[in-house]
Amino acid sequence: MKLLKIFLLLLVSTSVYPQTASEIIRKSEDLIKGKTARGTFEMIIATPDYTRTLKMESWWVGNEKALIVIKYPNREAGNKTLKIGNEMWNYLKNTETTIKIPPSMMLQSWNGSDFTNDDLVRESNLAKDYYQKLIGEDELNGVKCWKIELIPKPDAPVVWGKLYYWVRKDDYLPAKVEYYDEKGKLVRYIEYKEIKKFGKRNIPSVWVMHNVAKKGHSTTIKIIDMEFDININNRIFTFRELERGD
């Protein structure tokens, strides 16, 4: 009987805290990315001087391939971003030119927004590039979360000095990520809001990136529709498709 009680105690303990930091983040990332995905989005770029809205359609295969096509406004419709492996290109419809984005520009602003090229095409790999440590629990907007610290590995191709990542305990969805520079200064943070059902998944439908370094600057992504783990024709991720000009 005593051995049975010890076994049950261990079982309960491991069921309450079964995960490592990397397991929690992997589950969280998998929920909002899937193995493949297609979606349409609205991006609202807000500054003290103007507000600009883009509408886009995107396809992804994990962290390996991505295509983003701007649908609105008309003057930018048809501009595209293609990523294959570690390489990325922008196609500008008006001038019919294709520009390769060097690795040094992956963390530059995407289309004037507060998201980077890396953010949009999912280049960085949190599991590969960062040491991950579960540092405690926190409560954000009344929801209990795990708080995880990510420190970049010495040779990782990232510019951030540190990240803090909050994951909701009840459903593993991301709640917030803070980005710090190498001097420990908070540069920006993203909040995940308004959970909605897309297909069989509940995911945050509104992602807001706040730019702490530029007062009054923020970018909001609203998911209009999203499909996960679908078959995507490989031709989507080719130069022929990139330069098709539609």
Side-chain angles (χ1 to χ4, degrees):
M1 181 60 73
K2 186 176 180 180
L3 286 174
L4 178 60
K5 287 182 178 178
I6 293 173
F7 173 76
L8 290 173
L9 181 61
L10 287 172
L11 184 63
V12 169
S13 299
T14 54
S15 66
V16 173
Y17 300 108
Q19 303 93 357
T20 64
S22 61
E23 288 171 339
I24 292 169
I25 287 187
R26 188 181 67 248
K27 287 183 180 179
S28 182
E29 295 267 287
D30 287 347
L31 280 173
I32 60 171
K33 289 182 176 179
K35 293 180 180 177
T36 64
R38 187 213 65 85
T40 56
F41 308 85
E42 185 176 78
M43 173 181 277
I44 301 144
I45 303 166
T47 77
D49 302 317
Y50 64 87
T51 298
R52 178 168 154 246
T53 300
L54 302 174
K55 292 182 180 177
M56 308 174 291
E57 184 171 11
S58 305
W59 295 259
W60 295 277
V61 174
N63 281 22
E64 295 303 311
K65 299 177 182 178
L67 179 70
I68 301 170
V69 181
I70 295 178
K71 298 292 187 178
Y72 175 89
N74 290 338
R75 65 179 178 276
E76 296 178 58
N79 291 351
K80 303 177 184 180
T81 298
L82 173 68
K83 181 218 172 182
I84 304 173
N86 295 322
E87 298 184 300
M88 178 175 166
W89 299 265
N90 279 341
Y91 172 75
L92 304 178
K93 183 181 178 183
N94 287 342
T95 56
E96 296 185 347
T97 55
T98 299
I99 304 168
K100 185 172 183 179
I101 305 300
S104 60
M105 291 186 64
M106 287 305 291
L107 290 166
Q108 297 295 313
S109 165
W110 185 85
N111 229 317
S113 74
D114 298 291
F115 287 85
T116 65
N117 291 318
D118 182 272
D119 292 326
L120 268 291
V121 297
R122 306 171 171 181
E123 170 63 23
S124 66
N125 187 318
L126 297 181
K128 179 182 176 183
D129 295 333
Y130 291 87
Y131 297 114
Q132 303 169 8
K133 182 180 179 182
L134 180 58
I135 61 172
E137 298 177 1
D138 205 350
E139 189 168 308
L140 296 181
N141 300 319
V143 178
K144 292 183 179 179
C145 300
W146 285 293
K147 183 178 180 181
I148 296 168
E149 181 184 69
L150 296 98
I151 304 294
K153 296 179 180 178
D155 299 326
V158 299
V159 298
W160 305 115
K162 177 173 62 180
L163 307 181
Y164 284 123
Y165 197 124
W166 283 261
V167 178
R168 295 161 50 107
K169 293 184 68 175
D170 59 347
D171 53 16
Y172 289 91
L173 291 174
K176 181 181 178 182
V177 184
E178 291 182 345
Y179 300 80
Y180 293 80
D181 65 17
E182 293 182 341
K183 296 180 179 179
K185 183 179 179 181
L186 178 64
V187 177
R188 65 176 193 168
Y189 63 94
I190 185 169
E191 294 180 297
Y192 296 90
K193 303 178 177 179
E194 298 185 27
I195 295 171
K196 292 183 180 178
K197 196 173 189 68
F198 295 94
K200 296 180 180 179
R201 297 188 185 211
N202 288 313
I203 63 170
S205 64
V206 177
W207 305 5
V208 186
M209 185 69 83
H210 301 269
N211 191 329
V212 178
K214 294 182 179 178
K215 188 176 180 180
H217 289 245
S218 66
T219 299
T220 300
I221 290 179
K222 295 182 178 179
I223 300 175
I224 298 169
D225 66 70
M226 195 79 173
E227 302 173 278
F228 292 99
D229 300 331
I230 58 174
N231 291 324
I232 299 178
N233 194 319
N234 254 334
R235 71 170 175 77
I236 290 284
F237 309 105
T238 61
F239 283 97
R240 183 175 181 181
E241 183 69 16
L242 178 70
E243 298 171 344
R244 193 154 62 91
D246 58 352

